[in-house]
Amino acid sequence: MNNLLNELNSLKSNLDNLPIMNLSDLDLNNTDLFIVDINNGFAKGGALYSPRIESLINPIVNFTKSVSKDIRSIIAFTDYHTNASVELLNYPTHCIKDTIECEIVDELKSIDNIKIVKKNSTNGFFALDSLNFDDTDNIIIVGDCTDICIYQLAITLKSYFNQNNINKDIIVPINLVDTYNIDNVHPAELLNIVFLNSMIQNGIKVVKEIK
């Protein structure tokens, strides 16, 4: 048990010692922003609502506004299911098409240049219209959940780039991602630590924040 606690403390220390990235270090003209599931069904209400996700709204909106005029593109992924969606065999019914749950939060709707991409699985990679990243050097991923949709999108993108010998930076700022908490079932703090470290080990550039 002591060894397990020591390892957990080491993983937490890895995150505590990560750098803050400066926006000036990025060429926003060659940078894409992927916003994952900041929608009404996760951030405002519904079966999968979490106050931890709601607390991401203002930081993500403020960051998006700060880059929206200069960044190459902004994609907002949102769950969009039917009652026949296979994913609903594993998760409570959520974000059924043409309901308010599927819509991105109003705070994001007012920002120019956002393209909404509907997805029928936890992994937004498979909902992308194009895999042409020729004009992209960096992809910033924010939103929820750290251990599910964020992790799957980041890792799948990285695997796709590796398979095709494409060198791009995938950036995940810790202050703009989170996951939900259910005591004794889904411990948010623990899962954030484990999955953020796993992203680092897989070549994702995890930073404390971007400012």
Side-chain angles (χ1 to χ4, degrees):
M1 180 63 72
N2 286 337
N3 186 54
L4 181 61
L5 290 175
N6 287 336
E7 290 178 347
L8 179 60
N9 286 331
S10 294
L11 291 177
K12 186 177 184 303
S13 179
N14 289 343
L15 303 181
D16 291 340
N17 292 317
L18 288 171
I20 293 172
M21 175 175 281
N22 295 315
L23 269 179
S24 58
D25 295 335
L26 296 173
D27 183 351
L28 291 180
N29 291 318
N30 297 322
T31 299
D32 297 329
L33 174 60
F34 288 175
I35 304 170
V36 181
D37 285 335
I38 301 300
N39 58 33
N40 293 318
F42 295 137
K44 294 289 182 76
L48 294 184
Y49 163 79
S50 168
R52 296 178 69 106
I53 306 310
E54 184 172 11
S55 69
L56 287 174
I57 293 174
N58 287 337
I60 287 177
V61 168
N62 291 336
F63 176 75
T64 304
K65 285 181 177 178
S66 74
V67 301
S68 62
K69 292 183 180 178
D70 300 310
I71 203 161
R72 195 183 86 88
S73 72
I74 304 172
I75 290 178
F77 294 91
T78 186
D79 268 22
Y80 191 84
H81 301 299
T82 70
N83 288 317
S85 292
V86 173
E87 182 181 301
L88 301 185
L89 298 175
N90 305 109
Y91 292 95
T93 299
H94 63 281
C95 297
I96 299 299
K97 70 174 186 176
D98 302 327
T99 66
I100 194 170
E101 284 194 12
C102 297
E103 297 180 14
I104 63 172
V105 297
D106 287 343
E107 293 89 338
L108 283 173
K109 288 180 181 179
S110 64
I111 301 174
D112 293 335
N113 307 322
I114 290 183
K115 177 184 178 182
I116 297 173
V117 172
K118 301 171 182 176
K119 61 187 180 72
N120 189 41
S121 81
T122 50
N123 194 338
F125 178 86
F126 300 108
L128 289 169
D129 294 332
S130 171
L131 295 178
N132 182 352
F133 295 96
D134 290 347
D135 297 323
T136 300
D137 292 329
N138 314 291
I139 299 171
I140 302 170
I141 303 177
V142 304
D144 64 282
C145 290
T146 314
D147 55 317
I148 307 172
C149 302
I150 298 294
Y151 185 81
Q152 291 178 11
L153 176 59
I155 294 297
T156 308
L157 276 169
K158 184 63 176 175
S159 299
Y160 171 80
F161 291 150
N162 288 349
Q163 174 66 26
N164 293 284
N165 288 317
I166 300 170
N167 188 19
K168 310 287 183 183
D169 280 337
I170 301 170
I171 304 164
V172 175
I174 292 177
N175 68 314
L176 298 181
V177 297
D178 206 346
T179 192
Y180 63 94
N181 188 78
I182 301 176
D183 291 342
N184 302 316
V185 174
H186 193 270
E189 297 299 330
L190 173 62
L191 291 169
N192 278 333
I193 291 170
V194 170
F195 279 82
L196 287 167
N197 271 280
S198 181
M199 283 188 252
I200 293 170
Q201 294 156 14
N202 280 282
I204 309 301
K205 185 174 287 187
V206 179
V207 297
K208 280 186 177 179
E209 61 179 297
I210 305 174
K211 65 179 186 179

